[in-house]
Structures are given as structure tokens and as C-alpha cells.
Amino acid sequence: MFHHHFYGSEHIDRAVVQRRDETWINEQLRGEDTLFVPVWHGKVFVDRAEAEGDTQYRLSGRPDAPVPPDRRLKAVFLRSDETTPLLDGHRRAVLLGCSGKRTYFALDLSDMEDATKYRSLAGRGDFVGLRGVGPMLDRFDGGLLAYARGMLRWHQQNAYCGVCGSHTAMLEAGFIRRCIAAECSQQHFPRTDPAIIVLVTHENRALLGRQAKWDATWYSVLAGFVEPGESLEQAVRREVKEEAGISVGEVRYDSSQPWPFPSSLMIGFTAQALDDNIRIHDQELEDARWFTREDVDAGIEAGELRLSPSISISRHLIESWRMARGKETISMKKKA
Ligand SMILES: [Zn+2]
């Protein structure tokens, strides 16, 4: 079963064939139906200036609850006639893809001292951090802005060749950077960092932990980056052992979510613990505990437990487990 998470971009056709066609790219750059996603120092442009203050809403949002109209935000785009003067050879747009009749590009304006003052953006909103406003956007805008920001961040960090240190230049509308030194010519491709995220259960309880830097009531599932030479299943076993001292048996894939803070791909699993003896080894977790569904209900009710944002895969894993209430009893009865 599929679960399409927020910050995904299933609705964008990434134009993998067309991106190699320079004539097509140049037509799209000037096209009437083309829209540009402006990004300035990693911030995205939305239509409400005070949006970033909405942190309380972001944190308290219930899964899949519709965003109330007064909190809703829209991404603001630039049209091709507004960006032509900006595309001067130094500044180049990065293709994102197509949706319906629209073609979308990402445009980095970080070289401007204050891009909010650019005449086509002035008075239309503000540049804000995506993490703060994500849940107030609709899924299309959320996925598109995450994608734009991720691509531009990669370009910004790969201006120099990691092999020889020479400059790199953009190819294929932004999906390759190639080293300009003829003797090197190394090609570099956009990257994302794989991280596992896992809901560990033991009978009718789930393992949730909290990091010291988090708000005191916030608990979440365990997560960590995949290391070189490691399979995803191995990373799940290592992280759970490392963070909570628990060995896990069966590991099952659930779904994945791009998490653009800054460039992770969260790969979600469920896993069964072989024992319930928690031992916190590393510095990462301050506390880890077993929660029954009733503990979670009661904690939320009393305001003593807060879960991850409603749009996160962490919350999805926890909510899927909460909804499966009673299923362990049935399978235990079957075994007996
Ligand atoms: Zn090089």
C-alpha cells in the first residue's frame, strides 16, 4: 500500500527526457505558462509575511486535519516576463518539471541583498523558513518548495569539484554539474541523504524517545542516518541498538518521505523488539520509554505528551500503530 507523504512531489513530472533538450528548455524559460519558484538563502516565498510566527499551529496540528482558512498559505511564483531580466547568464534557473500546462523552475536569488525588495516580489509576501510554514501550505506547494529548495542547496554546495577543486558548471537544466577542468570533467549529480526512521514495538507497546534539545513533552520514533556500506535493515538494527540498547527481530518497510531539512530522505520501517530492556547508550536520546496506546491517549489528553508534526512520517508511523489497536490481541489469540 502506498502512502504519499507531505513534501513528496508525486504531482510533478520531472521531465527526464526534455531536460536534455536545450531548445525545449529555452522555450520553457520564456513560456507564458512557466512559473519560477524564488528561493533566497534557503528561504521560500509565501503570500503572508507574518507566517513564520505560526509555530504553535505547526506543532499542535492533528494528522490530516484541514488547515483552517485563516492559516492557509500559498507559494508565490514569478512569471517568465518577470524573470527574463534576472536570467543574465550568471544566474540560471534550475528545471523542476511539469504539472498540467505549467513548467516549473527554481530560481536562486541569494546574490540579492534583499530579494523581498525585488520589484516583482515587493509587497507580495515574505521569504520564510519552509520548516516553520510547511504544514500551512497545500501538498502541491509544499512538495514543490521542498524540491526547489533541495535542488538549489545542492547547486550552492557543489560550485566546486569535489575531485579536483575546479569550478563546476550546470548541465541538463540543473540535474548535472560537471567539472570545467578538461583533464577532470567529473560529473556530479544531485544528492539526498538516506535516513531510517522506525517504530519499534514489543507486544502492545511502542518505543518512543526524546532528544535533550526537544521540548520536555515531545517524544518520537527513533531515526538515524544510513552509513556507507550498510543496508537499510542493518541501519535500523544498529540505530535501535545504539540509541535504546534494544535488539530487533523482524524489520518491515512502511513508506518514505523527503524531509528537506536540509536534504534527508526518511525511509520508514516498523520493527519488533526481541526484549524490552531499554539501555540508553549514546548521547543522542535523553529518554526512551515503552508506551501503550492508552499511555499515548492519556499523555496527549493531559498535555504531558506531544508527538511529531502531523505531516511527518514519524507521526504517520505512530498513528498507524495507534489505529491498529486490538490487532495484537487477535494475533496472540490465533497463536494460542
Ligand atoms: Zn574536477
Side-chain angles (χ1 to χ4, degrees), residues 55-109:
T55 342
Q56 279 318 310
Y57 174 74
R58 169 172 71 93
L59 296 173
S60 62
R62 293 167 64 96
D64 301 324
V67 179
D70 62 325
R71 302 280 193 163
R72 225 166 277 162
L73 287 178
K74 289 298 286 174
V76 175
F77 303 108
L78 291 168
R79 296 187 314 269
S80 57
D81 57 305
E82 294 167 322
T83 52
T84 312
L86 294 173
L87 299 172
D88 52 7
H90 295 289
R91 199 187 287 107
R92 296 183 66 190
V94 169
L95 177 70
L96 297 173
C98 308
S99 180
K101 62 173 188 170
R102 297 283 189 202
T103 299
Y104 292 91
F105 288 87
L107 186 60
D108 196 345
L109 301 178

Side-chain angles (χ1 to χ4, degrees), residues 161-166 179-181 184-186 188:
C161 176
V163 177
C164 76
S166 303
C179 177
I180 60 163
C184 177
S185 300
Q186 178 74 37
H188 302 273

Side-chain angles (χ1 to χ4, degrees), residues 278-296:
I278 297 170
R279 292 167 304 266
I280 297 176
H281 292 303
D282 65 2
Q283 306 297 312
E284 209 174 321
L285 289 188
E286 183 191 66
D287 185 28
R289 286 189 222 167
W290 293 106
F291 290 78
T292 62
R293 295 178 177 87
E294 292 71 27
D295 293 337
V296 172

